[in-house]
Amino acid sequence: MRQADWAEEIARKLLEVPLPRRWAHSQGVARQARSLAPILGDDADLLEAAAWLHDVGYSPDLVDTGLHSLDGARHLRDVEHADDALCSLVAYHSCAINEASERGLIAELTSEFKPADPFFSDALTYCDMTTTPDGEPIEVEDRLAEIQSRYGADHLVARSIRRSSPHIVGSVRAIERAQAEAPIS
């Protein structure tokens, strides 16, 4: 069984019924991940698995700290026995370190999980930040504006996204460049 198939089933179990919109988003993020297969080669399965699982920490069954990336990564490590690379991608996706700072959870995040591989981190950020909450493609700037609007300017998620925006946009542009430079098969 591919790691992505295993991940899809876990995400479905945790998100489909209690959080259908989050499930739709995760499906769209996984579609974006599959679109990156030409630049990832043999590692495409890992990225797709991370795409399926990146938001499982929002599941009402998993919420503990309120930092969905940390709650999801802990579940993957402790319950699902996922490999370290996958847990790290979920733990740090889309500049989660900045939200961890806003929540006072940097020590927990950094002591429990190593930072993800930078290229894969950029790739997962690309997938997440070019997908709407309903699972449709969107430009990164519009996605960042949507998050700000949804949470409101003073919310800690909005503050962390503002702080993360330059890095997020840079990650998206790096993956777009890699796609443009990939040999056509």
Side-chain angles (χ1 to χ4, degrees), residues 125-141:
T125 296
Y126 168 88
C127 296
D128 186 21
M129 292 296 158
T130 60
T131 304
T132 69
D134 297 311
E136 298 302 318
I138 189 171
E139 293 297 321
V140 64
E141 294 83 3

Side-chain angles (χ1 to χ4, degrees), residues 61 96 123 128 176 183:
D61 294 338
D128 186 21
E176 289 171 343

Side-chain angles (χ1 to χ4, degrees), residues 2 7 23 46 60 99 130 151 164 174:
R2 289 180 336 120
W23 172 238
L46 172 62
E99 186 176 336
T130 60
Y151 283 95
S164 302

